[in-house]
Amino acid sequence: MNKKFVVGNWKMNCTLRQSEKLAKEIFNGLSEAKNGRVEIVVCPPFTSLPIVKSIFNGPKTQVKLGAQNCHFMPCGAYTGEISPKMVADFCQYVILGHSERRKYFKEDTPLVNRKIDATIENGLRPIVCVGEWKKGEGAKGVFHQVKQVVEALTKEKLKKTIFVYEPVWAISAISGGESADPSYANKIIKQIKEILVINIPVLYGGSVDASNISGFIAQEMLDGVLVGGASIKAKEFLRIIEKMEQMYAK
Ligand code: PGA
């Protein structure tokens, strides 16, 4: 059976001490994995990766680490950047193409594609975000984004990729917590999977919290969720994990 994913994107939140506190709260609140089907990934800021990794290095190693971005070069004169090779010292995953990177740092799909390729070369799994900007604009642009990624990757590399359908208008920082309708997300993800052809995970992201998680994971096409705001509240994140564990234990 396929793995299901819950990915916590901490964004630009948490100093070292705050990260330590949050990671310890999450670690202490975790129960033993029910059946190993739910992969828990937390993506703290770069500066907190070492401390968070040391906390999750204990016996409950079901929590994996991800970065929120990286460069495509292995090293060199790229001031302020972090290479995939460096990320691989701590992480197994990297979020790429998040709409906040596309919007504020002008990242486009060709750049995202170079990053995807480089992360896979370095043994990491990219978590690639796609999504339309405005509510009601339709998902044509989303399918185009997906096709551009598919065309740029070999089949072997595509197999290692995870997609997230994240309608930008549903991200809590923009929508104030109004998520997309779960059945709408399911419909779009079904169409994304038709483009992908091969069976790789496609998650949903956008204002997921403990109160709406059940509605999302009940959808047939979803392979999990990417959680932003709710992932930096330990209790909330733990409740999301618990509900996923219960759902997928069935
Ligand atoms: P949100 O963020 O859960 O706070 O909407 C998701 C994301 O942007 O990754």
Side-chain angles (χ1 to χ4, degrees):
M1 266 200 262
N2 287 349
K3 266 202 185 301
K4 303 292 178 180
F5 293 84
V6 50
V7 183
N9 174 12
W10 293 10
K11 307 197 180 186
M12 195 177 72
N13 293 299
C14 299
T15 61
L16 195 62
R17 291 299 150 235
Q18 289 166 335
S19 298
E20 183 181 17
K21 185 171 176 279
L22 176 58
K24 278 186 178 160
E25 282 169 5
I26 295 171
F27 180 79
N28 292 333
L30 283 173
S31 51
E32 291 302 322
K34 300 253 182 320
N35 54 15
R37 253 192 103 190
V38 179
E39 178 96 325
I40 306 163
V41 184
V42 296
C43 306
F46 289 123
T47 47
S48 297
L49 285 172
I51 193 130
V52 174
K53 187 174 172 67
S54 71
I55 292 163
F56 289 123
N57 247 351
K60 294 177 201 162
T61 46
Q62 78 258 42
V63 178
K64 304 287 184 341
L65 252 65
Q68 298 173 20
N69 178 36
C70 68
H71 198 266
F72 53 82
M73 293 296 282
C75 60
Y78 299 95
T79 303
E81 291 293 318
I82 307 277
S83 79
K85 227 185 163 107
M86 295 166 182
V87 165
D89 281 338
F90 301 97
C91 301
Q92 284 166 269
Y93 296 90
V94 188
I95 298 172
L96 292 174
H98 192 281
S99 60
E100 286 150 16
R101 300 239 29 112
R102 294 181 195 260
K103 180 177 172 189
Y104 300 122
F105 304 98
K106 308 285 170 261
E107 290 195 8
D108 56 13
T109 301
L111 175 64
V112 173
N113 283 343
R114 290 187 77 175
K115 293 184 176 199
I116 296 172
D117 201 78
T119 55
I120 298 170
E121 289 289 336
N122 283 278
L124 297 155
R125 284 192 82 176
I127 301 172
V128 182
C129 303
V130 294
E132 77 274 17
W133 293 90
K134 291 198 184 86
K135 192 171 185 173
E137 80 174 57
K140 240 171 111 181
V142 181
F143 305 139
H144 183 63
Q145 281 176 326
V146 175
K147 278 183 198 146
Q148 281 182 296
V149 176
V150 171
E151 280 162 17
L153 290 178
T154 62
K155 200 172 171 189
E156 281 317 301
K157 285 187 173 154
L158 187 62
K159 275 187 194 162
K160 305 214 165 84
T161 304
I162 296 168
F163 278 86
V164 186
Y165 169 55
E166 187 160 75
V168 183
W169 52 266
I171 292 177
S172 66
I174 295 169
S175 73
E178 192 199 330
S179 67
D181 185 69
S183 61
Y184 171 76
N186 192 56
K187 186 180 107 188
I188 303 298
I189 289 175
K190 183 171 188 280
Q191 286 172 277
I192 291 175
K193 288 190 168 182
E194 281 163 12
I195 297 168
L196 293 172
V197 183
I198 59 170
N199 182 19
I200 55 172
V202 184
L203 324 183
Y204 165 81
S207 297
V208 173
D209 59 26
S211 71
N212 63 20
I213 181 70
S214 304
F216 283 107
I217 54 180
Q219 303 296 321
E220 202 191 333
M221 292 292 151
L222 264 79
D223 297 300
V225 285
L226 174 64
V227 187
S231 74
I232 54 170
K233 298 174 195 150
K235 275 196 189 134
E236 186 87 10
F237 193 55
L238 285 164
R239 276 171 59 209
I240 293 171
I241 293 170
E242 200 183 317
K243 288 194 179 174
M244 286 189 64
E245 294 272 11
Q246 282 165 2
M247 179 75 177
Y248 295 122
K250 284 175 200 162

